[in-house]
Amino acid sequence: MPKLTLNISTSPHVVKGLSTDTIMKHVVLALMPAAAFGVYVFGTGALLVMLTSTVFAVATEHLLNRWIRKNTTVNDYSAAITGLLLGMCLPPAFPLWMTAIGSAISIALGKFIFGGLGCNVFNPALVGRAFLQAAFPGAITTWTDPFKADRFFNVPSSVFAWPFMSPVVDGVSGATPLSAFKFDHVNSQSYDLVMGFCGGSAGETSAVFLLLGGIYLAWRKMLNWRIPVSVLLTVLVFSGTMHFLDATRYPSPVFMVFAGGLMLGAIFMATDMVASPVTSTGVWVYGAIIGILVVLIRLWGGLPEGVMYAILLTNAISPHIDNLIRPRVYGTLKKAKAS
Amino acid sequence: MSEHPTLDQPRSTGDKKMLISMTAIGVICAFFIVITHQGTLDKIAKNKAEALDRAVYKVLPGISKITPFYVGTEGKLEEKPFGDKPQQKIYAGYDSTGVLKGIAIQGSGKGYGELLSLLYGYDPNTQKLIGFYVLESKETPGIGDKIEKESFLANFKALDVSLTDDHNKIKNPITVVKQGKKSNPWEIDGISGATITSRAVGEIVRTSSEKTLPLIFKNKKILETQNNGQK
Amino acid sequence: MNPPTHSNQPDKGFFSQLANSKSADEFVKGLWRDNPVFVQVLGMCPTLAVSNSATNAVSMGLATTFVLTMSNVLISMLRNFIPKQVRIASYVLIIATFVTITDYMIQAISIDIHKSLGAFIALIVVNCVILGRAEAFASKNTVGFSFLDGLGMGLGFTFGLFCIGTVREILGNGTFFAMQVMPESFEKWVIMVLPPGGFFTLALWLLIFKGYKLKKAAHE
């Protein structure tokens, strides 16, 4: 298909060779180690969940584009990332039919309805995750234990639940470090948390591999490093203060930073280029708000984990952050005094 | 501005006419409301009493008569409301021969999201809780409403709430344990997947029973004799 | 296309008006062409809040229909008596009266329905469909037409709530009018009986209705 050659647009007019699909390809690459580690820890179930979510996200994107008679945009990899991210933040034994619905919702209601890539208000993967959380609260809080002996050959029966039918949970459901802390006041080993040897979503457990991916992207300048740094610092400081005030009631800051989906959220989801602010100061504020919300929800909220809602809420206000911290237009005075 | 036609009109209509018409409409409306109120009063009172009766019969199996009692501030029980402070109401259930079978007590507190209002049955003879019913709940459908399922209600078939020897405190406060970990008669088997709601239920029943049960025990004689005297 | 309207004709009594084609039109327009939920998009508060089951949706719809019809009739009767300056206050007074009556009647019929509709019975008073019809129709038309308009709009509102309530109840609870219609192991979409489900379902129906209307318009 020949490309349009006449392009009327505002500055900048000089284009660096870094296009959307190049960046997206590298993001997929950066996610791979953590995803692969998830498969290693949780077995074939996690692999199936992540594959399904990716395939259905891409398929939904393609079909919706066909429906409104537009050129398909699956080649820019953004749908694949949305699908993969969604798969990584779902429990490893999540039924595949629910995963597929989540993927379709992510793309349709998270992105397409706003006008496609570049117009979405929220991170699409988290929109799908939030829908699934509200629609199937039972299935989405059913965790499997890591390192089951038969994890590669025996897929949990809940994964293959018939479409629209309740999954049958086999055996005792496991716990995540966060739910164990919230409900039973059990602290997990920091080493296990950092490495990811614990229960949780399919691809969120390994802090090390997620960090590696993040550092790679930041080094290639494909990710705004300020966002994860700001989120993690805020969580560290806020929860550190609480821990200092009352060590028996509030967990250590190290636990707060490495447990749950904070790494995945801070590095790969909060940094959604469309849903985060543009100005550098705005980005710091944005990260700080996410961090505060995460700690608030985890320590005082009803749910054990709050990264998803924290990011979604802050996504919603990110344009307003930009508005408040609007940089001064070159050559104008700082707020004309008393007009 | 005064040449605007619609602004001219108010003066021509006059305040008096407005007042008359509003009063007339008010009277007509009041008439309708009073008629309906009178017409439905008995039926509504009957419906409300029936709804409560149904709940009390659910938590106190095998009763055939209910007498409400009012709990006062100084730990007295009366059949009529007394004092100016709003009192807690309890419902004593008797079987067909007039023997006290149990007492239904209402308790409420914060659930997962909003107010959770419960009714539970207490048998002073065996000192056990024998029934449980959710009066009002806004818990998440599909999760929080599992507290109305048979498996959770089974916890309240014979939940031990024995008082200490001086009848001032409950010997073993009710605790909620993880699903399947119940080992003592005063423990409630929680619901995994609805941890917060099932714990809230335990908390509500515990605080309410700690407050009310010693009181009931002290006044057990009144409760037992009340109905016999009437017969 | 339509026969000429006879709005200038004097009142001929209720039943002769019924036979009149304009009467039929006043009744039908609320059901479909000017449906309060899907076309006018009025009264969204009860539409979203109490459409989590078909029973709730229909009882709310019928309660609203009653209030709408009765207030339309009374307002139309008094339309020449109410001074222009205090008309809104009078309408609100009349509507509030019928809402109170409805509240008593529902309590007398069933405490359970009253409990599940909750505060939304009292909130019928601020349903903009009712005040809208009072101002736009009943204050300018005869009693017979106003009755038909109220009934049609009310039933249209009920129909809209029923459409939403059915989808939400079947998906969210696996039941239809509290009867099990889905297999026992059906996984309930809890979100559908929660507030977000109301928004999703309403949007879905609006999409379908709009799409249908556009298609029809394109054909003509």
Side-chain angles (χ1 to χ4, degrees):
Chain A
M1 182 147 284
K3 280 197 173 170
L4 290 176
T5 44
L6 182 67
N7 202 351
I8 302 168
S9 67
T10 57
S11 60
H13 301 294
V14 181
V15 181
K16 205 186 163 200
L18 207 58
S19 62
T20 312
D21 36 329
T22 323
I23 296 181
M24 295 296 179
K25 246 184 253 176
H26 279 91
V27 175
V28 174
L29 206 68
L31 279 169
M32 274 304 145
F37 182 79
V39 176
Y40 165 66
V41 174
F42 296 112
T44 323
L47 178 70
L48 285 171
V49 168
M50 287 190 274
L51 268 182
T52 312
S53 68
T54 315
V55 167
F56 271 86
V58 173
T60 312
E61 173 104 351
H62 184 69
L63 287 176
L64 287 175
N65 275 312
R66 287 288 295 276
W67 182 45
I68 59 161
R69 300 192 184 85
K70 271 196 175 171
N71 288 335
T72 183
T73 47
V74 295
N75 295 329
D76 68 8
Y77 281 87
S78 67
I81 290 182
T82 299
L84 184 57
L85 280 176
L86 176 69
M88 288 175 76
C89 63
L90 289 175
F94 201 60
L96 294 184
W97 71 267
M98 294 181 189
T99 314
I101 288 177
S103 284
I105 296 276
S106 286
I107 297 294
L109 296 186
K111 196 168 87 174
F112 182 78
I113 210 162
F114 293 105
L117 183 68
C119 306
N120 47 306
V121 181
F122 302 102
N123 181 314
L126 287 179
V127 172
R129 175 72 162 72
F131 182 90
L132 291 175
Q133 171 97 49
F136 311 113
I140 210 158
T141 46
T142 308
W143 309 99
T144 35
D145 285 325
F147 296 113
K148 275 191 185 160
D150 57 349
R151 63 188 186 277
F152 294 115
F153 306 105
N154 193 0
V155 178
S157 60
S158 61
V159 172
F160 292 123
W162 286 101
F164 301 103
M165 296 299 144
S166 302
V168 182
V169 181
D170 39 19
V172 192
S173 64
T176 65
L178 280 167
S179 66
F181 174 79
K182 182 120 205 166
F183 301 128
D184 304 306
H185 295 277
V186 177
N187 268 313
S188 307
Q189 291 290 320
S190 304
Y191 174 75
D192 288 352
L193 287 176
V194 175
M195 295 308 294
F197 299 142
C198 55
S201 298
E204 71 172 18
T205 51
S206 168
V208 169
F209 285 110
L210 289 167
L211 268 175
L212 276 180
I215 291 169
Y216 169 74
L217 286 180
W219 170 63
R220 296 292 304 264
K221 292 211 167 62
M222 293 169 173
L223 174 141
N224 194 338
W225 58 272
R226 292 173 191 88
I227 296 176
V229 169
S230 165
V231 174
L232 296 176
L233 266 182
T234 314
V235 171
L236 206 63
V237 171
F238 189 8
S239 62
T241 319
M242 294 319 297
H243 183 66
F244 176 73
L245 288 176
D246 189 351
T248 51
R249 276 179 63 199
Y250 304 111
S252 75
V254 177
F255 171 84
M256 289 288 279
V257 167
F258 288 105
L262 186 64
M263 278 296 160
L264 181 65
I267 298 173
F268 290 99
M269 290 172 169
T271 50
D272 188 303
M273 293 179 181
V274 192
S276 56
V278 247
T279 54
S280 288
T281 332
V283 157
W284 283 108
V285 176
Y286 168 81
I289 295 177
I290 294 180
I292 290 170
L293 285 174
V294 168
V295 177
L296 282 179
I297 297 175
R298 279 187 183 175
L299 292 185
W300 294 287
L303 291 166
E305 174 62 301
V307 173
M308 170 178 73
Y309 292 122
I311 296 177
L312 283 173
L313 283 170
T314 321
N315 277 167
I317 60 166
S318 71
H320 306 292
I321 299 176
D322 265 342
N323 244 343
L324 285 176
I325 314 175
R326 196 182 310 173
R328 188 165 57 91
V329 175
Y330 182 70
T332 57
L333 287 172
K334 205 174 187 180
K335 230 181 200 177
K337 278 163 209 156
S339 64
Chain B
M1 257 200 218
S2 58
E3 57 269 346
H4 201 279
T6 52
L7 280 175
D8 251 356
Q9 225 160 359
R11 280 186 197 106
S12 65
T13 320
D15 297 343
K16 212 170 175 187
K17 198 194 161 198
M18 274 197 269
L19 196 70
I20 291 170
S21 55
M22 284 301 282
T23 318
I25 293 169
V27 170
I28 296 172
C29 290
F31 177 70
F32 278 131
I33 291 179
V34 168
I35 286 187
T36 324
H37 181 69
Q38 288 300 324
T40 52
L41 197 61
D42 295 341
K43 190 85 189 15
I44 291 173
K46 205 177 129 230
N47 276 350
K48 278 193 174 152
E50 264 174 13
L52 192 73
D53 276 8
R54 268 207 307 274
V56 174
Y57 279 115
K58 272 218 178 85
V59 297
L60 297 175
I63 59 164
S64 56
K65 187 179 181 297
I66 299 164
T67 315
F69 283 93
Y70 295 84
V71 182
T73 36
E74 284 105 39
K76 277 194 291 185
L77 281 181
E78 296 278 341
E79 258 195 282
K80 298 239 158 55
F82 60 100
D84 0 282
K85 281 199 179 157
Q87 305 102 7
Q88 198 192 359
K89 219 170 159 188
I90 60 170
Y91 306 91
Y94 305 89
D95 70 1
S96 48
T97 55
V99 176
L100 180 68
K101 292 292 276 188
I103 296 134
I105 304 157
Q106 199 185 331
S108 53
K110 189 179 169 288
Y112 177 71
E114 285 175 71
L115 187 82
L116 190 60
S117 182
L118 316 165
L119 194 73
Y120 59 93
Y122 169 62
D123 184 350
N125 303 319
T126 57
Q127 302 211 15
K128 280 183 168 38
L129 296 191
I130 48 173
F132 169 79
Y133 180 74
V134 180
L135 287 175
E136 206 181 332
S137 143
K138 293 198 176 71
E139 301 301 294
T140 320
I143 314 173
D145 60 7
K146 281 187 193 143
I147 55 168
E148 294 179 56
K149 289 244 169 84
E150 199 49 51
S151 54
F152 186 70
L153 295 183
N155 277 314
F156 294 90
K157 288 261 159 69
L159 190 67
D160 182 38
V161 282
S162 313
L163 298 172
T164 50
D165 296 333
D166 58 356
H167 303 314
N168 277 330
K169 262 179 25 207
I170 293 175
K171 227 184 275 165
N172 303 296
I174 298 164
T175 42
V176 181
V177 295
K178 269 192 158 185
Q179 190 162 18
K181 294 272 167 67
K182 176 173 172 147
S183 52
N184 294 311
W186 59 85
E187 284 172 349
I188 296 177
D189 218 350
I191 308 169
S192 85
T195 317
I196 299 166
T197 307
S198 54
R199 290 201 177 178
V201 169
E203 184 69 20
I204 292 168
V205 175
R206 187 179 62 77
T207 38
S208 160
S209 59
E210 273 174 357
K211 212 180 80 200
T212 324
L213 295 197
L215 228 150
I216 290 177
F217 207 80
K218 262 178 223 153
N219 295 296
K220 203 175 150 195
K221 283 267 137 47
I222 305 177
L223 289 167
E224 274 171 351
T225 51
Q226 202 73 23
N227 206 43
N228 290 338
Q230 280 173 2
K231 280 221 155 179
Chain C
M1 203 155 75
N2 284 328
T5 51
H6 307 282
S7 51
N8 290 334
Q9 276 190 358
D11 275 18
K12 287 195 299 181
F14 178 64
F15 286 104
S16 62
Q17 274 182 4
L18 255 187
N20 193 322
S21 67
K22 182 177 188 258
S23 311
D25 189 55
E26 298 296 3
F27 178 67
V28 171
K29 72 171 193 282
L31 291 181
W32 185 255
R33 199 180 66 232
D34 290 340
N35 187 291
V37 176
F38 296 129
V39 180
Q40 300 186 52
V41 199
L42 284 177
M44 286 297 106
C45 169
T47 305
L48 292 168
V50 279
S51 59
N52 52 3
S53 75
T55 317
N56 278 359
V58 169
S59 27
M60 183 67 192
L62 291 180
T64 311
T65 307
F66 173 77
V67 175
L68 186 53
T69 315
M70 297 308 281
S71 60
N72 254 13
V73 167
L74 192 62
I75 287 167
S76 175
M77 274 179 194
L78 300 173
R79 70 184 186 279
N80 296 322
F81 171 70
I82 299 171
K84 273 245 166 328
Q85 300 84 0
V86 290
R87 64 185 191 285
I88 299 291
S90 315
Y91 299 162
V92 170
L93 193 59
I94 290 168
I95 293 166
T97 305
F98 287 110
V99 170
T100 314
I101 290 172
T102 315
D103 190 64
Y104 285 138
M105 291 198 334
I106 292 180
Q107 281 191 54
I109 294 166
S110 161
I111 288 283
D112 289 333
I113 293 180
H114 189 264
K115 232 168 116 185
S116 59
L117 294 183
F120 291 98
I121 298 176
L123 285 176
I124 294 177
V125 78
V126 288
N127 189 329
C128 33
V129 176
I130 300 173
L131 194 61
R133 292 329 285 174
E135 170 74 358
F137 198 91
S139 63
K140 295 171 188 139
N141 286 282
T142 58
V143 176
F145 284 145
S146 298
F147 172 79
L148 289 173
D149 176 80
L151 196 64
M153 284 290 165
L155 291 178
F157 186 72
T158 313
F159 169 69
L161 255 68
F162 171 74
C163 287
I164 298 171
T166 307
V167 173
R168 289 180 70 183
E169 191 182 345
I170 290 178
L171 277 181
N173 206 23
T175 55
F176 178 60
F177 282 110
M179 284 178 303
Q180 193 75 31
V181 289
M182 287 297 197
E184 202 51 47
S185 60
F186 172 73
E187 174 80 11
K188 296 168 180 172
W189 297 38
V190 178
I191 194 173
M192 280 303 172
V193 289
L194 295 176
F199 284 93
F200 287 136
T201 319
L202 176 67
L204 195 78
W205 279 112
L206 285 176
L207 189 77
I208 293 171
F209 271 71
K210 191 79 189 164
Y212 174 78
K213 286 207 162 183
L214 284 177
K215 215 169 211 176
K216 223 174 121 188
H219 273 292
E220 277 167 8

